[in-house]
Amino acid sequence: MKNLFILLTVPVMVFCNFLQTKLLNNNDVGKETFHLKGSDKIVYLFFKVEKNTSNTEKIILEDKKMVSGKLKSNPVFDEEELKVGDFVISLTDTRGKEVVKQIVEDPLNPVMEVYEDTISRNKVSLQNAEFSIRYVHSENIQMVKIEKVTNTGRQLLFTQKL
């Protein structure tokens, strides 16, 4: 009986593993990914954003760190996921061609979870916040540009040479 159980369990587990792999691969169809020629370094950019009295955002690059390691996966930029208030961060080369593009959900209006009798989510409005991005180091990346998604399009908030 024990051998029969093992004999039936192993093929089911193998089949489920292949099915899961197939589903994961199918979810990536149609999404744009960026492949950088591999380096064994990860770069972190740390930003601070403050809302002025005139309700305009001011962004400051606080720190840049490079560490050894590899990213397990590169963030995928999906235009359909953009919401008003989100930041679009573009890393470009010397000619202005985008090498990496990432989304940061609205850092000044994060959604916080509250645990009471039930779990609820509330949007919190902040005057300042911090956020960071990470990417695979590449000599081609020379500049960072941050845009805010608005109802009328995108508003350029920040550009800086790295």
Side-chain angles (χ1 to χ4, degrees):
M1 188 65 166
K2 182 178 176 183
N3 291 337
L4 181 63
F5 178 73
I6 292 172
L7 183 66
L8 293 175
T9 306
V10 170
V12 169
M13 292 175 65
V14 170
F15 175 74
C16 290
N17 188 23
F18 285 125
L19 183 63
Q20 181 181 11
T21 304
K22 182 179 178 187
L23 289 174
L24 286 173
N25 289 339
N26 286 343
N27 286 342
D28 291 339
V29 173
K31 291 189 177 177
E32 184 177 352
T33 57
F34 295 96
H35 298 287
L36 297 175
K37 291 190 178 176
S39 140
D40 291 340
K41 295 186 180 184
I42 302 171
V43 179
Y44 291 88
L45 299 178
F46 299 94
F47 297 94
K48 183 175 185 174
V49 59
E50 294 179 350
K51 193 182 293 186
N52 297 339
T53 54
S54 60
N55 276 343
T56 58
E57 291 85 3
K58 179 183 176 188
I59 297 178
I60 300 167
L61 177 61
E62 288 192 317
D63 198 8
K64 175 183 174 182
K65 290 189 180 182
M66 189 180 308
V67 297
S68 62
K70 290 187 178 187
L71 288 177
K72 291 183 181 178
S73 63
N74 290 331
V76 177
F77 180 81
D78 189 0
E79 193 82 30
E80 294 174 5
E81 293 180 10
L82 289 174
K83 297 177 219 124
V84 173
D86 289 350
F87 290 171
V88 177
I89 300 167
S90 304
L91 301 167
T92 60
D93 63 9
T94 54
R95 293 176 283 146
K97 181 182 174 193
E98 291 179 348
V99 179
V100 176
K101 203 170 191 180
Q102 295 183 21
I103 299 172
V104 173
E105 292 182 11
D106 190 355
L108 291 172
N109 297 300
V111 176
M112 307 294 276
E113 290 184 348
V114 178
Y115 298 97
E116 293 174 347
D117 294 335
T118 60
I119 299 175
S120 62
R121 294 179 181 191
N122 301 325
K123 192 175 252 192
V124 179
S125 183
L126 303 173
Q127 288 301 110
N128 56 44
E130 295 177 349
F131 63 94
S132 63
I133 63 162
R134 63 182 182 190
Y135 61 93
V136 176
H137 173 69
S138 171
E139 295 295 328
N140 295 337
I141 296 175
Q142 299 294 317
M143 185 174 240
V144 61
K145 176 175 80 171
I146 301 177
E147 299 172 305
K148 180 181 179 180
V149 178
T150 64
N151 291 326
T152 58
R154 293 186 189 169
Q155 174 188 4
L156 181 63
L157 296 178
F158 179 83
T159 57
Q160 184 169 333
K161 192 169 183 162
L162 298 174

